[in-house]
Amino acid sequence: MAVRQLSLWLQPEQAAAAELDAVIARLAAVHRTAVFPAHLTLLGVLEQEPDAAVSSLRQVAQLLDPLTARFDQTRCEPAWHRSLYLAAVADPTLRRAFEDAARMFGLRGKPAFDPHLSLQYSELPVADKLRLAASLSLELPMTVRFDRVSLWHTPGSDAGRWRQLADCPL
């Protein structure tokens, strides 16, 4: 049986994760929104058998080396899943990681890739999101090193129900 709503994440090294997780937790506490681990989604909304997906995850981990992403803007959108985030520059290394992951997971066609690191998932009005973006204590541009890739079950918009299925170092 295929599991719906699997996601493949790059996860930051420990120091960067701690800093970003603290920002996410602060925003969540102030606005009563979801707390979730800092990540950059390589592939979202996958549907595969769990064992096959874990096998594909391991193949991706073997292909990739730790990589860095440069975040140059804070953005917000009305959509819950792109509420408030750091926009990443889609450089060749990051794009190649996405393409390798898409190939290992057997995705066909040209899936969209707009790399970002979410800071908040919410349905707040855009004006409130803009105020939040202006109040962030993150200095941009920011470079983050990612040293793990993980597979998550992300059913729906309740991040409290999200579960990590597997994790591999790069």
Side-chain angles (χ1 to χ4, degrees), residues 132-166:
L132 284 175
S135 74
L136 291 175
S137 59
L138 295 171
E139 192 171 319
L140 299 177
M142 169 190 277
T143 300
V144 176
R145 184 174 187 266
F146 294 87
D147 64 358
R148 294 181 356 242
V149 62
S150 57
L151 183 68
W152 286 74
H153 182 219
T154 53
S157 61
D158 180 1
R161 293 181 51 220
W162 296 357
R163 296 290 176 256
Q164 181 177 300
L165 301 178

Side-chain angles (χ1 to χ4, degrees), residues 70 87-95 113-115:
R70 184 172 180 266
V89 175
D91 67 16
T93 301
L94 195 53
R95 181 151 299 282
F113 183 55
D114 188 11

